[in-house]
Amino acid sequence: MKHLITITFLLVFVALAAQDTQEETPDKKFSISGSVDAYFRTNLTGPNEAFEDEEGTFFLNPGTSFADRSGFSLGMANAIISYEGSKVGFVADLVFGPRGEDAVFLSTGSSNIVNQLYAYYQVTDKLKFTLGNFNTFLGYEVISPVGNFNYSTSYMFSNGPFSHSGLKADIALSDDFSLMLAIMNSTDFTDINLDGSYTAGAQLGYKSQFLNFLYGNQTGNSEATFQVDYTGGTDLGDSFFLGINATYNDTDGSGFYGAALYPQYTLSEKLALGLRAEYFGFHQEDLDDDTVFAATLSANYTIEDLTIIPEIRLDSWSEDTYFDNDLEPSKSLASFLIAAVYKFN
């Protein structure tokens, strides 16, 4: 893998050196955009008070990333500083607050405010190189709530990966087909490489459908991790959209898998309804799979740049995972939240 890294950088240098070096008047664009969000969440079929164990304080929640506290809570403030020249540019994506801190905490070695930090070079209209820390290309959902219809996140998203650091090349094969190739640190090791482990990534796109691959030894694990992921969506009418995500992850016989449908229906310019129906499971050799079905119904009501998201969610596991209001073990948990997401640019 180390030799592959060296060859990759040599090829990149040759590609850059072969370009026309004639200076052009750049069309520069500097911008600041981002979002802020907050929410209220409550369990309907379980207690809402905090619990203590040997690992610290926790709340009974669906077990996915973010929106995991009871009562009124904060999401994050997101500030994206970007520069776009005629061929080169950068993105500095900074996050503050619980949602942002949880996201970058899972990216080992990252400072507690950097979500993304990368520079890029648009070599031609068909080839672009990016170097730095960027959010993952796998999956349907993203860290920022602005990019998701549901406010809470799926199990597939929550089990990662979240972010990568490395070098990627985006290639436009035709008007409809695209290809992305990447060499990166171990998953979620965003600004440090502890043992020389590297991960290869690839994405083949056709219009709005994407097939994603991840393969490589991860820090702390002697066996390589393989993940294949499909993300897509299609308009089934003027007001009806259907999104799809499916993934499979394996490391030496253990990992996770899942699939989800995201039907969304637009009722008016201000109001839309969306459902996430997800089946997810952990697999391990010689053990029964631990699986969950989660249904999340959300509404998006937009007032200018502010989106109000009321959401009801039901998670049902194959084993006792929660407690009911009498503190008896339960396989299911119903919860409700309402979030406010404001975006600016």
Side-chain angles (χ1 to χ4, degrees), residues 44 89 95 140 225:
L44 301 177
V95 290
Y140 187 88
T225 291

Side-chain angles (χ1 to χ4, degrees), residues 21-100:
T21 58
Q22 181 180 356
E23 293 187 0
E24 300 178 6
T25 302
D27 181 17
K28 299 180 181 179
K29 182 180 180 182
F30 182 82
S31 66
I32 300 177
S33 61
S35 65
V36 295
D37 63 278
Y39 67 94
F40 169 83
R41 194 192 74 85
T42 185
N43 295 320
L44 301 177
T45 59
N48 286 288
E49 65 268 20
F51 292 86
E52 299 282 346
D53 65 8
E54 62 277 5
E55 297 182 358
T57 302
F58 70 95
F59 291 91
L60 193 67
N61 56 56
T64 53
S65 299
F66 319 137
D68 54 1
R69 295 166 172 83
S70 294
F72 294 99
S73 188
L74 305 178
M76 71 179 189
N78 184 202
I80 304 172
I81 305 166
S82 63
Y83 168 84
E84 182 181 354
S86 59
K87 285 187 174 292
V88 298
F90 73 84
V91 170
D93 183 349
L94 309 178
V95 290
F96 310 86
R99 186 179 181 117

Side-chain angles (χ1 to χ4, degrees), residues 195 197 216-225 251-252:
D195 60 0
S197 296
N217 286 88
Q218 306 300 305
T219 295
N221 198 319
S222 60
E223 300 296 330
T225 291
T251 305
D252 193 28

Side-chain angles (χ1 to χ4, degrees), residues 124 129 157 163 180 208 232 255 286 310 318:
T124 70
F129 288 110
F157 169 84
S163 297
M180 188 281 293
S208 58
D286 302 324
S318 56

Side-chain angles (χ1 to χ4, degrees), residues 16-328:
L16 299 183
Q19 299 305 305
D20 186 353
T21 58
Q22 181 180 356
E23 293 187 0
E24 300 178 6
T25 302
D27 181 17
K28 299 180 181 179
K29 182 180 180 182
F30 182 82
S31 66
I32 300 177
S33 61
S35 65
V36 295
D37 63 278
Y39 67 94
F40 169 83
R41 194 192 74 85
T42 185
N43 295 320
L44 301 177
T45 59
N48 286 288
E49 65 268 20
F51 292 86
E52 299 282 346
D53 65 8
E54 62 277 5
E55 297 182 358
T57 302
F58 70 95
F59 291 91
L60 193 67
N61 56 56
T64 53
S65 299
F66 319 137
D68 54 1
R69 295 166 172 83
S70 294
F72 294 99
S73 188
L74 305 178
M76 71 179 189
N78 184 202
I80 304 172
I81 305 166
S82 63
Y83 168 84
E84 182 181 354
S86 59
K87 285 187 174 292
V88 298
F90 73 84
V91 170
D93 183 349
L94 309 178
V95 290
F96 310 86
R99 186 179 181 117
E101 291 168 3
D102 288 349
V104 298
F105 175 77
L106 291 171
S107 300
T108 306
S110 178
S111 62
N112 62 0
I113 66 169
V114 175
N115 182 32
Q116 300 184 95
L117 187 65
Y118 60 83
Y120 64 85
Y121 177 29
Q122 189 76 49
V123 183
T124 70
D125 59 350
K126 296 184 180 298
L127 176 63
K128 176 183 177 182
F129 288 110
T130 300
L131 179 64
N133 169 19
F134 40 86
N135 290 158
T136 189
F137 52 94
L138 286 84
Y140 187 88
E141 300 176 23
V142 295
I143 293 171
S144 170
V146 172
N148 299 330
F149 191 93
N150 307 103
Y151 185 77
S152 68
T153 52
S154 69
Y155 287 93
M156 287 183 287
F157 169 84
S158 301
N159 282 273
F162 275 69
S163 297
H164 310 281
S165 280
L167 174 68
K168 65 175 181 174
D170 290 286
I171 306 165
L173 301 177
S174 68
D175 290 341
D176 294 331
F177 283 95
S178 64
L179 176 67
M180 188 281 293
L181 301 173
I183 294 293
M184 305 164 293
N185 287 346
S186 295
T187 293
D188 293 322
F189 280 75
T190 52
D191 59 24
I192 192 170
N193 189 317
L194 296 176
D195 60 0
S197 296
Y198 292 94
T199 298
Q203 179 186 78
L204 179 63
Y206 174 70
K207 296 183 177 180
S208 58
Q209 317 302 312
F210 299 95
L211 190 60
N212 308 300
F213 299 93
L214 198 70
Y215 181 82
N217 286 88
Q218 306 300 305
T219 295
N221 198 319
S222 60
E223 300 296 330
T225 291
F226 169 75
Q227 186 168 350
V228 57
D229 178 274
Y230 166 73
T231 303
T234 185
D235 290 313
L236 299 180
D238 293 337
S239 303
F240 187 44
F241 173 81
L242 179 63
I244 304 173
N245 187 202
T247 198
Y248 178 83
N249 173 289
D250 184 86
T251 305
D252 193 28
S254 299
F256 59 86
Y257 57 90
L261 296 177
Y262 297 81
Q264 297 165 15
Y265 188 76
T266 301
L267 298 172
S268 68
E269 291 183 359
K270 292 187 175 182
L271 180 62
L273 295 176
L275 173 70
R276 177 180 59 220
E278 179 186 20
Y279 181 77
F280 178 86
F282 293 103
H283 70 87
Q284 187 173 348
E285 285 187 287
D286 302 324
L287 294 176
D288 293 335
D289 291 1
D290 194 8
T291 62
V292 59
F293 176 77
T296 306
L297 179 64
S298 304
N300 282 196
Y301 183 73
T302 303
I303 309 169
E304 296 181 351
D305 292 325
L306 175 67
T307 302
I308 306 298
I309 308 175
E311 181 174 293
I312 188 165
R313 175 169 177 158
L314 176 63
D315 296 72
S316 182
W317 282 87
S318 56
E319 303 291 337
D320 288 337
T321 305
Y322 307 109
F323 299 99
D324 62 21
N325 286 311
D326 296 322
L327 298 183
E328 294 294 329

